[in-house]
């Protein structure tokens, strides 16, 4: 007799962003013609860079010729892209211990974050900041790790939304900086505290740096491997979605260094790099050649200029939202070194009530903070990913509704 995975019964009924989209659709149905400005899911609005389009067109033409046709590619990703990543994102930034063999191309950060649990031993304890990107906890619950194996690390106004380093060993810790959802960033010194903790306790850190391209402050690291020793304890997950408009194209990468220093239960060395390679070769057939050629174009001078320009635009939006909310008396963090703005009205309303109030009165969508964990209750998240014109219109609506 087939028995279904009852871990699913421990999950919220639907995934956070699906629930937000459903509520917006529902409102639109009841109020036909209303023009809602979307500032909920972090979906981007600026089209792909011309150089990406050109390279993808060339790759598509290649695919129609006997010499340029590509069938199954390497599950780890094409070497041309892995070498560019190793060079531009690591070596040229002064990180010499990451090479192309440590890099695995994926269809985006979400899938890898959901799948990395395949590497964990059965009984590992897991530390997850609260609030956090919901995939960390939902994936852990699906894998049967609910209950006392999951430790929530509270991030509240009292600790400036930065989790405190635990006073006991936790086996796996998820960190995301600049943070989704709060937009808060960690300094190099603060990140070093986590790497030292992981080295002391032989913990694995899953470092989600999907938003690193938004870092402008010199004191804030772009990569976990800027910290000495991180290549022994940390896996880094990155995405081209939020930096290069790839949300609909799908491409990212995960760094699983060969130098990670972990063991199996019997004490023998476990190469997480080889295990991830084994996992990917079994369950994944790699990202399409055309997409990887498009991603490689991001490392040309034109591609890099495009990333700088688009991330500047989104950060301009986030900063305007931050200033507007501050001027209206909201408690606000984020919007600096990050496309996300996290705020609370401090008026006793819960996140979903606030979400509905702003949706109904200003026709703006947001993401309820409680959807990222109970410490997010009473907060909302806005994204800076809409167009500058829509963002200014959103700010005017907020201000006129507020006055
Ligand atoms: C978010 O809005 O938090 C992200 O867009 C979700 C994602 O990247 O999957």
């Amino acid at each position: 007799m087939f028995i279904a995975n009852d871990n699913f019964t421990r999950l919220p009924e639907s995934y956070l962003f699906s629930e937000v989209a459903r509520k917006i659709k529902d409102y639109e149905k009841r109020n036909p013609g209303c023009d809602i400005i979307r500032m909920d899911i972090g979906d981007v609005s600026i089209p792909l860079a011309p150089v990406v389009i050109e390279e993808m067109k060339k790759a598509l033409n290649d695919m129609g010729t006997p010499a340029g046709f590509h069938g199954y590619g390497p599950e780890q990703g094409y070497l041309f892209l892995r070498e560019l990543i190793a060079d531009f994102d690591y070596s040229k930034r002064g990180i010499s211990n990451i090479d192309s063999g440590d890099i695995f191309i994926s269809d985006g950060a979400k899938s890898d974050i959901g799948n990395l649990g395949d590497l964990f031993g059965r009984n590992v304890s897991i530390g997850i900041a609260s609030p956090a990107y919901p995939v960390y906890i939902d994936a852990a619950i699906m894998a049967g790790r609910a209950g006392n194996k999951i430790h929530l690390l509270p991030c509240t106004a009292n600790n400036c939304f930065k989790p405190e380093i635990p006073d006991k060993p936790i086996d796996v810790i998820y960190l995301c900086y600049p943070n989704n959802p709060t937009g808060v960033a960690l300094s190099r010194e603060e990140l070093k505290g986590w790497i030292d903790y992981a080295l002391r306790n032989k913990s694995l850190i899953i470092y989600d740096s999907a938003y690193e391209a938004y870092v402008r402050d010199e004191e804030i690291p772009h990569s976990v491997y800027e910290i000495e020793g991180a290549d022994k304890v940390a896996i880094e997950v990155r995405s081209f979605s939020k930096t290069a408009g790839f949300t609909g194209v799908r491409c990212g990468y995960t760094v699983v260094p060969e130098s990670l220093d972990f063991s199996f239960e019997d004490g023998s060395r476990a190469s997480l790099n080889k295990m991830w390679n084994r996992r990917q070769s079994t369950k994944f057939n790699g990202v399409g050649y055309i997409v990887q050629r498009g991603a490689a174009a991001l490392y040309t001078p034109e591609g890099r200029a495009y990333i700088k320009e688009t991330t500047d635009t989104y950060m301009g939006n986030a900063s305007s939202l931050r200033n507007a909310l501050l001027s209206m008396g909201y408690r606000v963090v984020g919007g600096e070194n990050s496309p996300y703005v996290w705020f609370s009205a401090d008026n006793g309303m819960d996140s979903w009530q606030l979400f509905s109030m702003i949706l109904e009165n200003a026709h703006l969508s947001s993401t309820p903070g409680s959807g990222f964990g109970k410490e997010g209750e009473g907060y909302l998240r806005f994204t800076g990913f809409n167009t500058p014109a829509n963002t200014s219109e959103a700010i005017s609506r907020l201000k006129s509704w507020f006055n």
Side-chain angles (χ1 to χ4, degrees):
M1 181 176 72
F2 170 76
I3 305 281
N5 178 354
D6 61 6
N7 293 315
F8 277 70
T9 63
R10 300 187 173 92
L11 290 168
E13 173 96 3
S14 55
Y15 181 58
L16 172 62
F17 295 105
S18 317
E19 182 61 10
V20 169
R22 192 189 63 74
K23 289 206 189 249
I24 296 168
K25 217 175 199 164
D26 205 49
Y27 183 79
E28 285 172 329
K29 216 186 229 164
R30 285 185 280 114
N31 300 274
C34 72
D35 166 28
I36 291 171
I37 298 179
R38 296 290 297 261
M39 292 195 296
D40 50 285
I41 192 166
D43 201 0
V44 290
S45 56
I46 300 175
L48 296 174
V51 67
V52 168
I53 298 292
E54 241 169 70
E55 284 305 310
M56 287 172 89
K57 278 186 185 161
K58 269 194 222 153
L60 182 59
N61 285 336
D62 284 353
M63 293 291 273
T65 66
F69 174 71
H70 287 72
Y72 289 127
E75 296 90 348
Q76 308 79 347
Y78 286 100
L79 194 58
F80 64 77
L81 180 55
R82 291 188 286 129
E83 281 182 341
L84 284 168
I85 292 168
D87 187 26
F88 280 90
D89 293 346
Y90 295 99
S91 179
K92 284 192 167 52
R93 287 185 183 274
I95 299 165
S96 57
N97 50 3
I98 299 300
D99 66 32
S100 57
D102 299 325
I103 293 164
F104 295 81
I105 309 300
S106 71
D107 67 345
K110 186 183 197 173
S111 324
D112 281 358
I113 286 167
N115 294 330
L116 279 164
D118 281 5
L119 301 181
F120 306 170
R122 239 170 318 146
N123 294 316
V124 293
S125 52
I126 300 186
I128 301 176
S130 176
Y133 181 40
V135 181
Y136 311 147
I137 193 152
D138 284 5
I141 292 172
M142 284 179 197
R145 297 190 165 102
N148 54 14
K149 288 180 205 152
I150 298 180
H151 302 266
L152 294 179
L153 312 172
C155 302
T156 64
N158 292 338
N159 56 13
C160 303
F161 301 94
K162 296 175 186 177
E164 268 135 49
I165 295 190
D167 53 11
K168 57 181 177 214
I170 297 180
D171 305 322
V172 181
I173 308 234
Y174 287 85
L175 296 178
C176 171
Y177 291 100
N179 186 257
N180 179 14
T182 64
V184 164
L186 282 193
S187 69
R188 216 164 260 112
E189 204 44 43
E190 287 165 329
L191 184 54
K192 182 176 179 323
W194 282 100
I195 296 303
D196 290 348
Y197 169 86
L199 287 164
R200 270 196 315 277
N201 293 291
K202 286 211 159 275
S203 310
L204 172 68
I205 289 187
I206 308 287
Y207 195 74
D208 177 353
S209 62
Y211 302 94
E212 65 76 31
Y214 291 85
V215 170
R216 294 291 182 273
D217 188 330
E218 291 287 307
E219 287 311 300
I220 296 173
H222 287 255
S223 165
V224 72
Y225 304 116
E226 290 179 38
I227 312 298
E228 206 185 326
D231 64 308
K232 306 247 174 314
V233 290
I235 288 176
E236 178 157 280
V237 183
R238 287 208 182 170
S239 161
F240 297 113
S241 288
K242 313 300 161 92
T243 55
F246 270 49
T247 49
V249 177
R250 307 309 309 153
C251 195
Y253 64 89
T254 288
V255 184
V256 188
E258 180 51 52
S259 48
L260 284 169
D261 186 19
F262 294 104
S263 313
F264 292 108
E265 204 159 352
D266 66 5
S268 60
R269 178 168 192 267
S271 163
L272 296 195
N273 176 286
K274 288 202 173 66
M275 289 163 66
W276 187 242
N277 192 36
R278 182 71 174 84
R279 189 262 170 222
Q280 293 296 80
S281 317
T282 305
K283 296 191 182 178
F284 184 57
N285 257 337
V287 176
Y289 172 70
I290 299 166
V291 167
Q292 292 192 60
R293 279 287 176 207
L298 295 167
Y299 293 92
T300 59
E302 300 92 311
R304 282 181 292 132
Y306 165 90
I307 288 180
K308 171 77 172 60
E309 200 181 309
T310 49
T311 52
D312 278 351
T313 303
Y314 294 140
M315 277 215 303
N317 292 341
S319 166
S320 308
L321 283 164
R322 174 191 164 91
N323 293 337
L325 290 162
L326 281 171
S327 73
M328 292 160 67
Y330 284 89
R331 185 139 52 98
V332 188
V333 289
E336 295 170 318
N337 299 296
S338 160
Y340 293 128
V341 180
W342 181 249
F343 64 100
S344 166
D346 283 328
N347 62 1
M349 288 177 105
D350 74 29
S351 296
W352 283 104
Q353 287 169 332
L354 265 175
F355 165 88
S356 298
M357 185 174 74
I358 293 185
L359 182 66
E360 287 162 22
N361 291 288
H363 290 172
L364 307 179
S365 68
S366 57
T367 308
S370 55
F372 296 100
K374 77 176 167 50
E375 271 77 13
E377 186 58 277
Y379 284 84
L380 287 184
R381 190 195 74 176
F382 274 154
T383 88
F385 288 124
N386 213 314
T387 60
N390 282 346
T391 306
S392 328
E393 168 62 18
I395 290 171
S396 312
R397 287 188 195 176
L398 271 177
K399 285 190 169 162
S400 59
W401 161 65
F402 190 74
N403 290 323

